Amino acid sequence: MKSALFALAAVAAAAVPLHGHADAAAAAKNPSYVHGDFGPPRGDPIHAVLTAPPHVPAPTMRNYPAKVIVELEVIEKEMPISEGVTYTFWTFGGTVPGSFIRVRQGDTVEFHLRNNPNNKMPHNIDLHGVTGPGGGAASSFTAPGHESQFTFKALNEGLYVYHCATAPVGMHVANGMYGLLLVEPPQGLTPVDHEYYVMQGDFYTTGKYREKGHQPFDMEAAIAEKPTYVVFNGAEGALTGDKALTAKTGETVRLFVGNGGPNLVSSFHVIGEIFDRVQYEGGTHVQENVQTTLIPAGGAAIVEFHTEVPGSYVLVDHSIFRAFNKGALAILKVDGPEDKSIYSGKEVDSVYLGERANPNLAAVTQATKAAASGKLTKEEQIKAGQQLFTGTCSVCHQANGEGLPGVFPPLAKSDFIAADPKRPVQILLRGLTGKVTVNGKDYNSVMPPMSQLNDDEIANILTFVLNSWGNPGGRIEAEDVAKVRAEKPATPAAGH
Ligand SMILES: [Cu+2]
């Protein structure tokens, strides 16, 4: 398979003459550049196979320019953006990011944009790989229930963002209207073992991060560029747990990484890997041995690396609060034998990932649903709380609740909790500083507020703590938390 492609590439490079003045101009600028055939399309028209993320269409394997028909439908739909949180996305092809389009340099692309009759808004498309007014936007304004068509020649190879450009443009993009178009170089890309499609986006909701239920778009937050969520592939957890990307040791992985924005620039990084090659900005030049690559809003990069050591590799925006507090985190799971000559260690996922390494947040979803219908049991709270405790609290208080001597007080059999089982609500919302005595030992340190947790989550975590490790039992409900949250912050010494 691979050698066939190489042979094909060699034929293409050797046998295809240069055409067109654009090409000649490019050749003059960069004589080492391999050019495509910009002559008329040959053969039967080809219907492009589009893929939903994280999948990428197979290489075109062509050595001649063809007419390629692309059919893309805009669908407005409600989908989860986080555990128990839904959002009305506007999509190209039913997913965020939109369907991946793959053509070859020199192809003539006949583009059909459909706007689903159930949609409420008009839409269009601006493809950054198109040479022409608005990148197609000027020819593709489409009302619900209509279709538009335009044709372009793929002059430049590269990885290009496409997006909706209907006013208010920012809002259409913020709702998820972007995707990637790959224009293969005439000789094709080098074969690899895996190609994946990952695209970052920032989202703006009226509710806080992880506030449950349906969350509308917040225009003011979008203008202020203060996203509630920053995620890969349209949702927190879109590429973790069962949905993680996969590879084996000794394989080569190519990621087509886009950034839809609308606002943020991504500092794209894979924890535990080094990019062997980066086609930065999606262009032709290659940078090697890169730790973190910048991906502008409305830009892309092709990154490649070889996998050596098994384990979980974490894709993040290294503007790191986005990864751990807004959702910009995905996993590549590499299976295979250990190679101790490269890396000795035993892997402890929870150090970096905490709760997000846990593939099973089902208990959390179930508790959210039960709470919404008013039928939440204490047992459901405990189960959900246990999931959330891992990573959120266990980093300091340890998974077994024993804490660390002299640094983090125990939650297990804590006489501090037993003395006032409702006091922890306040501690989680406002933090705790100054001297405290727990089970006869003094601690004089700082616990930061955990106010990023919502009322449900705090109630569930504390119900879990109260019912674990010899603590007195009992139950904290979301209303208890809401009450404390609404109170004026007490003096910092409260609780001592
Ligand atoms: Cu739109």
Side-chain angles (χ1 to χ4, degrees):
M1 195 64 172
K2 291 177 191 177
S3 56
L5 192 77
F6 274 128
L8 195 72
V11 169
V16 176
L18 301 186
H19 283 283
H21 68 277
D23 201 43
K29 273 188 277 179
N30 180 359
S32 68
Y33 192 79
V34 182
H35 293 274
D37 176 349
F38 294 98
R42 287 190 249 150
D44 290 333
I46 292 165
H47 283 264
V49 175
L50 308 187
T51 56
H55 304 290
V56 175
T60 67
M61 303 293 272
R62 268 188 287 109
N63 63 353
Y64 61 89
K67 174 173 166 179
V68 179
I69 298 165
V70 174
E71 296 179 65
L72 194 56
E73 183 176 24
V74 175
I75 302 168
E76 300 167 4
K77 65 195 274 205
E78 192 177 306
M79 294 190 284
I81 189 165
S82 181
E83 205 61 50
V85 190
T86 56
Y87 186 81
T88 303
F89 293 92
W90 298 348
T91 75
F92 285 109
T95 56
V96 177
S99 309
F100 196 107
I101 307 167
R102 184 170 195 151
V103 301
R104 181 181 174 275
Q105 189 189 32
D107 282 348
T108 298
V109 182
E110 183 182 292
F111 206 99
H112 297 254
L113 187 70
R114 267 184 212 118
N115 191 349
N116 187 285
N118 296 324
N119 291 349
K120 299 193 170 58
M121 307 291 293
H123 301 283
N124 64 8
I125 192 165
D126 168 352
L127 298 120
H128 292 179
V130 167
T131 306
S139 321
S140 59
F141 183 84
T142 312
H146 289 74
E147 175 183 328
S148 3
Q149 181 187 332
F150 62 99
T151 299
F152 67 92
K153 196 178 282 268
L155 294 180
N156 297 71
E157 67 177 76
L159 183 61
Y160 296 97
V161 168
Y162 66 77
H163 63 90
C164 184
T166 302
V169 177
M171 181 179 179
H172 284 250
V173 174
N175 283 341
M177 298 201 76
Y178 43 76
L180 291 180
L181 160 71
L182 172 67
V183 182
E184 284 180 359
Q187 73 278 20
L189 295 173
T190 343
V192 290
D193 297 300
H194 299 278
E195 290 186 329
Y196 289 117
Y197 172 19
V198 177
M199 198 158 182
Q200 182 172 321
D202 28 298
F203 291 88
Y204 304 81
T205 60
T206 51
K208 283 172 53 147
Y209 173 63
R210 289 194 173 173
E211 190 169 318
K212 305 295 184 249
H214 187 78
Q215 293 297 333
F217 171 67
D218 184 339
M219 188 65 163
E220 273 176 38
I223 293 169
E225 304 188 17
K226 289 200 171 130
T228 327
Y229 293 89
V230 182
V231 297
F232 296 115
N233 289 8
E236 179 169 35
L239 296 172
T240 63
D242 298 344
K243 290 174 274 176
L245 306 176
T246 57
K248 295 195 185 62
T249 50
E251 290 188 324
T252 312
V253 178
R254 173 180 291 138
L255 303 177
F256 296 104
V257 191
N259 183 7
N263 289 318
L264 302 186
V265 167
S266 174
S267 300
F268 185 71
H269 176 79
V270 176
I271 300 174
E273 262 300 345
I274 297 151
F275 304 141
D276 299 321
R277 289 176 89 254
V278 177
Q279 274 176 257
Y280 50 94
E281 297 173 5
T284 314
H285 284 279
V286 172
Q287 169 73 298
E288 293 178 327
N289 305 318
V290 175
Q291 56 193 309
T292 301
T293 192
L294 268 183
I295 308 183
I302 304 176
V303 311
E304 293 172 16
F305 51 90
H306 189 256
T307 57
E308 278 87 11
V309 179
S312 290
Y313 293 84
V314 192
L315 286 61
V316 294
D317 180 336
H318 214 296
S319 291
I320 210 72
F321 271 100
R322 299 175 188 168
F324 293 101
N325 301 82
K326 294 186 173 176
L329 189 150
I331 306 279
L332 169 71
K333 193 125 189 58
V334 177
D335 284 322
E338 301 277 354
D339 184 344
K340 303 275 187 209
S341 73
I342 295 176
Y343 186 74
S344 66
K346 164 166 158 20
E347 192 192 11
V348 185
D349 270 355
S350 60
V351 170
Y352 252 125
L353 304 178
E355 75 202 87
R356 286 148 179 104
N358 196 327
N360 189 7
L361 281 174
V364 178
T365 312
Q366 197 182 330
T368 304
K369 281 206 192 110
S373 65
K375 281 183 286 192
L376 180 68
T377 65
K378 195 164 118 183
E379 279 59 45
E380 284 169 326
Q381 280 194 283
I382 293 171
K383 265 196 214 151
Q386 182 169 19
Q387 299 291 334
L388 293 164
F389 183 88
T390 307
T392 310
C393 321
S394 66
V395 189
C396 298
H397 294 288
Q398 305 300 299
N400 57 9
E402 299 286 348
L404 287 180
V407 188
F408 302 120
L411 303 181
K413 289 201 202 71
S414 161
D415 60 0
F416 190 89
I417 295 176
D420 180 357
K422 300 248 165 176
R423 180 166 49 187
V425 175
Q426 226 181 67
I427 297 177
L428 265 58
L429 285 170
R430 317 239 196 269
L432 185 62
T433 56
K435 197 177 89 152
V436 291
T437 307
V438 185
N439 299 347
K441 298 218 170 70
D442 288 346
Y443 296 84
N444 193 353
S445 181
V446 178
M447 171 165 154
M450 300 273 135
S451 51
Q452 84 278 8
L453 299 168
N454 65 32
D455 297 350
D456 277 337
E457 289 168 332
I458 289 180
N460 295 346
I461 290 173
L462 290 179
T463 302
F464 163 69
V465 170
L466 286 177
N467 291 278
S468 306
W469 314 307
N471 284 331
R475 185 174 182 183
I476 304 285
E477 294 182 75
E479 297 82 75
D480 302 327
V481 182
K483 232 184 275 163
V484 177
R485 204 190 283 272
E487 281 166 14
K488 275 193 85 172
T491 59
H496 291 210

